[in-house]
Each structure stands twice: as structure tokens, then as C-alpha cells.
Amino acid sequence: MAISYRQAFLTILKRDLTIAIRHRDDIVNPLLFFIIVVSLFPLGIGPASNTLMKIAPGVIWVAALLSTLLSLERLFKNDHQDGSLEQMLLSPCPTFILVLAKIFAHWLITGLPLIIIAPLLGVLLNLHQDSYLALMLTLLLGTPILSLLGAIGVALTVGLKKGGVLLSLLVLPLYIPVLIFATSAVDSASMNMPYNGQLAIIAALFFGSLTLAPFAVSSALKVSTN
Amino acid sequence: MWKWLHPYANPEVSYHFSGKLIPWFNVISALLLITGLFFALAYSPSDYQQGESVRIFYLHVPAAMLSMGIYLGMAIAALSALVWQLKLAEASISALAPIGAVFTAIALFTGAAWGKPMWGTWWIWDARLTSELILLFLYLGVIALQNAFEDKALAGKAASVLALVGVVNLPIIHYSVEWWNTLHQGATISKFEKPSMSTDMLIPFVICFFGFAFMVASLFCYRFKAEILARNSMRPWVKAIANKQGAK
């Protein structure tokens, strides 16, 4: 019995969300990590509000990168171990759809809470008043890119025993462009300058990775599952 | 064309062919580098602004250009490995990656050494420097991923996927000096209209560049041969070579 692409997408999405809700620490731990990393900076650098205002966008974004990295492993690891990943790859539905659904679920679980909590951390770091909108917009466009690009790295390392450290080596260089444009957008906003240029580039990165990354993930999964 | 290329898909033929190329590449690269570096370091005029320290240019720019060129070659090999399932293309990726990483490192170090007298600082987070640093990380990622797999065939496929993904960085490096106006000086060579440097500096540079390029080619042949041997170690022709070497 063939099912439509939309149905397959929704099934996988629902399945992944259900699994995540059953294992609540998968959602909470990266978020806690994000909050802790951000709160380490005022302790390490000193609580002077001017300094904090200057470093706030960068700190929030770097912490977002790291917490995404922490949560990436669960994207394919458990499914690979219990064999359900191979079943999904064997199903007649194109891998592109399945991969896209899993990545979207990952973003809903890890990216969205991060965006919701970010303004609070902005207050803690004394973020400039005009930057909040820019921060939210860059996170909204940027965190899906993190999930999409990260999925390539996870798919490549999922078959390996010690993939964790390797994963950061593979994925972080790919994250750098997003980080650069996002922080520069937030900085421009704090100086009351237009930041639609940087936002447009992040949007371009988003659509580029949305269309291309699932192909890379599919072929990487085929390599990893042999 | 395909008929002509076809025999080289055989590892044994490629092994012997690249073995035959090595002495040629060595001689050409040695000749070019000796003449090129002699003219570059002794004869070419010093720059009116930068003085003698401009001479590091003859090492820095070829290394930087080759670091990108090698990555491009690696990405093309990756594409053909993924699309046409060529085993030798996978071997050539693992042969190219360390060479590219070393050239990227050379470009970064010579850039730092040039930056100190010119800009007064070893390192600046300028767009081109940063993207070149990312290129180094990408090379290291490909090498690390390749070493992480037990199975050489899987390693080759995984590395090809990563090499292809990383290729988006190349245009960023190339256009970074035009997109962001930072400390790094604009392109002087790759302009098609008219290179913005005098001929007595351009000619030694071109000679140096091709010298380094042939050096890369020869290094590649050495590593490629070793890769072919490692991947085909159970084949009779490899055993025959090993026996012949052992009998000597």
C-alpha cells in the first residue's frame, strides 16, 4: 500500500515528537546546557553591563550552536541502533521526505525552545533594546540551518562507535557562516542600522540548505547503514 | 575520450602510469621552482610600498591558490566517486586531503608572517583569513572522517559526501575580498583584464606558481600510488610487486 508523501512526512514527524516527549530529558538537557553556558560568561568575563551588552549576541549564538551540537546525536543514533532507520530507508517513500521530517522534528524539539528562551537570556546579558527583534529573527531563520547542516554530520558519523567528537569537527566549520551573519545582524540592530542584508543572506543559506542538505543526508545515511 | 580514459580505471594501470609521471613532475617542478624562486627572491624589484617583504608573496599566493585548487579537485573527485562509483576517485580524495591541508597551513602561516610587518599584527579576524581557516578545518574534517572508518570503501564514500558539502566555502573565500572590504588586499592576479602588477613581478610569480603546482602533482602521485597499494593489497599484482621489491 502506497502512502502519500504528506502522510509519510506527518507519520515520521509524529513518531519523532512522541519519542521526544516520552524521553523528556532529550528536550530539557540541551536547553539547560544552553542556559548554563550563557550564564557562565558573565561569571568568566565580569558582570560589567557594557561588556555584556557587547558580547551578548555572540554568546547567545555560540551557546545555541553548542547546544544544537549536543542534541544532534539523537537525530539518527537510536533509530540506527534499533534498526528502524534501515526500515525507513527500505520503505518505498523517498528518503528526502523522511529525512526532512526527522530534521523538522529535531528543530521543533531543540530549536524552538531555544528561540523562546533566548529573549530571557538577552535580559540576563543586558542585550541592547533594539536587538531583540533581530535576535529572534536570526534565530528563527538560523536554527533550522543548524539542524539541517548538523544532520549531514550525524548521518555521516552514525555508524561509528566514537562519532561524538568527530561530529563537532565536521559540523562546526559549516556553522561558521551562519554565526558570522547572525551576530553581525544583531550588532547592526543594536546600532540602529538596517540589517536586512544579513537577514537576506541567512534566508538564502536557509533555503539553500533546506533544498540541498536532505540529499546529502540521504546519501550519507546510505553510506552509514551500508 | 571515454575509450581513451577507460584503461585508467584499472588500479594496476593507474599505479604504473602515476609511477611513470613522478620523475617528470619532479624534474619540471625542480626546474621551475629553482628559476622562479631565484628570480623572485634575487631579481624581481621590491615593492614601492611594501619593500622587500613583498617577496613572501611568491610563496603565499601560490600556496593560497593551490589550497583552493586542491579542494576543488578533491570535490570533483568526490562527485565522480559518488556519481560513477569510481574506486580510484575515492583513493585520490584521501591522497589529496593531507596535501591540501598542508598548503592551507602554509598559506595561513606565510600570511601571518606577511601581516606582521605590513598590518602590524599576526592575525586579524578578516573575512579571507577566517574563511581560509575554515578551509583548513574542512580538510582536517575530511581526514578525520576518513580515519574514523574501519572499512576503506565506506570511508571513501563518507569523505566524498563531506568534501562535496564543504565546497560551498570556496566561492566565499574567493569573493571574500570583494564582498568585505577589510585589511586583506584585493585580488592582484586572478583578474582577467589586466593583472595589477608589473611584468617583472608577474613572470617569476607565474613560474613559481607552476613550480608549486607540479610539486603538488608529484606529491599526489606518490600518495595516490600508496593509496592504490593499500586498497588493493590482496590483489595478485600487488603481491607480485611486493615480492619483486623483497627479492632486491
Side-chain angles (χ1 to χ4, degrees):
Chain A
M1 188 188 73
I3 56 172
S4 72
Y5 292 169
R6 191 176 62 90
Q7 237 174 331
F9 182 89
L10 290 177
T11 313
I12 298 276
L13 184 67
K14 213 175 130 195
R15 171 185 176 276
D16 271 30
L17 289 179
T18 317
I19 292 176
I21 289 167
R22 300 266 161 84
H23 300 260
R24 240 165 259 127
D25 49 340
D26 278 351
I27 309 179
V28 177
N29 286 355
L31 199 62
L32 277 180
F33 179 79
F34 179 59
I35 298 168
I36 291 173
V37 169
V38 170
S39 59
L40 286 180
F41 276 88
L43 299 173
I45 293 175
S49 54
N50 272 341
T51 338
L52 287 182
M53 187 188 283
K54 225 178 264 169
I55 62 166
V59 168
I60 292 177
W61 257 97
V62 170
L65 295 193
L66 293 178
S67 75
T68 310
L69 203 62
L70 194 70
S71 66
L72 273 175
E73 284 240 296
R74 60 168 302 285
L75 192 52
F76 295 121
K77 196 103 196 172
N78 292 337
D79 289 349
H80 180 69
Q81 271 163 358
D82 64 15
S84 45
L85 188 64
E86 281 183 28
Q87 295 303 321
M88 283 180 212
L89 291 177
L90 286 172
S91 78
C93 186
T95 326
F96 187 96
I97 306 282
L98 307 175
V99 163
L100 211 56
K102 285 189 81 67
I103 295 171
F104 185 55
H106 176 262
W107 178 75
L108 283 180
I109 297 160
T110 60
L112 209 55
L114 218 125
I115 299 174
I116 296 169
I117 204 94
L120 189 67
L121 294 173
V123 176
L124 288 181
L125 287 180
N126 197 20
L127 188 73
H128 198 278
Q129 275 177 357
D130 302 324
S131 316
Y132 281 95
L133 183 65
L135 182 72
M136 298 299 275
L137 286 175
T138 54
L139 281 173
L140 199 62
L141 278 173
T143 45
I145 307 178
L146 303 184
S147 294
L148 285 161
L149 292 181
I152 303 175
V154 194
L156 283 172
T157 54
V158 74
L160 300 173
K161 283 203 182 69
K162 330 169 252 191
V165 187
L166 187 61
L167 180 66
S168 50
L169 181 62
L170 301 185
V171 170
L172 284 179
L174 301 176
Y175 281 175
I176 294 174
V178 185
L179 176 71
I180 291 174
F181 288 112
T183 48
S184 113
V186 182
D187 272 339
S188 309
S190 74
M191 288 181 276
N192 254 327
M193 290 199 304
Y195 54 89
N196 16 13
Q198 291 96 321
L199 220 51
I201 291 177
I202 300 175
L205 288 173
F206 168 62
F207 284 110
S209 51
L210 183 67
T211 44
L212 296 176
F215 288 113
V217 175
S218 324
S219 62
L221 281 179
K222 269 168 208 149
V223 173
S224 289
T225 53
N226 226 341
Chain B
M1 169 85 169
W2 189 242
K3 247 186 177 164
W4 176 77
L5 274 176
H6 188 247
Y8 296 104
N10 178 349
E12 188 179 359
V13 176
S14 295
Y15 176 84
H16 291 296
F17 180 65
S18 43
K20 268 180 215 148
L21 286 178
I22 287 176
W24 289 98
F25 285 159
N26 280 344
V27 170
I28 296 173
S29 126
L31 282 178
L32 286 177
L33 277 181
I34 290 169
T35 49
L37 287 177
F38 178 71
F39 278 108
L41 299 180
Y43 269 100
S44 81
S46 51
D47 193 72
Y48 78 102
Q49 260 183 330
Q50 309 197 340
E52 296 293 336
S53 68
V54 77
R55 294 187 197 284
I56 202 167
F57 165 88
Y58 300 105
L59 176 60
H60 173 71
V61 180
M65 286 166 87
L66 284 170
S67 72
M68 288 193 271
I70 293 172
Y71 198 94
L72 190 64
M74 209 166 81
I76 293 170
L79 186 72
S80 40
L82 286 175
V83 176
W84 294 288
Q85 310 278 322
L86 298 176
K87 291 264 160 43
L88 286 177
E90 288 169 10
S92 65
I93 294 171
S94 48
L96 276 175
I99 307 176
V102 168
F103 269 84
T104 316
I106 292 175
L108 282 171
F109 277 115
T110 52
W114 196 6
K116 182 64 183 164
M118 288 305 109
W119 305 339
T121 173
W122 293 104
W123 180 263
I124 184 122
W125 290 99
D126 141 277
R128 180 160 268 192
L129 269 58
T130 315
S131 48
E132 186 80 7
L133 189 67
I134 301 175
L135 185 68
L136 181 63
F137 292 151
L138 287 175
Y139 273 124
L140 295 180
V142 170
I143 297 169
L145 187 63
Q146 215 149 32
N147 292 338
F149 282 90
E150 295 276 316
D151 183 356
K152 281 264 183 192
L154 281 186
K157 284 199 188 100
S160 346
V161 173
L162 188 66
L164 266 189
V165 171
V167 88
V168 289
N169 189 38
L170 283 187
I172 298 181
I173 304 178
H174 187 79
Y175 291 107
S176 56
V177 279
E178 288 161 36
W179 291 346
W180 294 278
N181 268 318
T182 43
L183 268 183
H184 200 284
Q185 52 185 293
T188 36
I189 307 297
S190 49
K191 287 189 242 168
F192 279 110
E193 307 87 50
K194 199 173 150 228
S196 50
M197 61 195 295
S198 68
T199 6
D200 39 0
M201 285 164 91
L202 185 65
I203 292 171
F205 165 76
V206 171
I207 297 176
C208 276
F209 175 75
F210 281 104
F212 282 115
F214 276 104
M215 191 168 96
V216 169
S218 138
L219 286 173
F220 168 70
C221 285
Y222 278 112
R223 290 191 50 85
F224 189 53
K225 275 176 72 180
E227 280 294 329
I228 294 178
L229 286 187
R231 278 155 200 257
N232 296 284
S233 52
M234 297 314 287
R235 297 284 168 79
W237 65 270
V238 178
K239 284 183 182 158
I241 289 174
N243 286 334
K244 217 164 78 187
Q245 295 275 327
K248 256 185 214 168

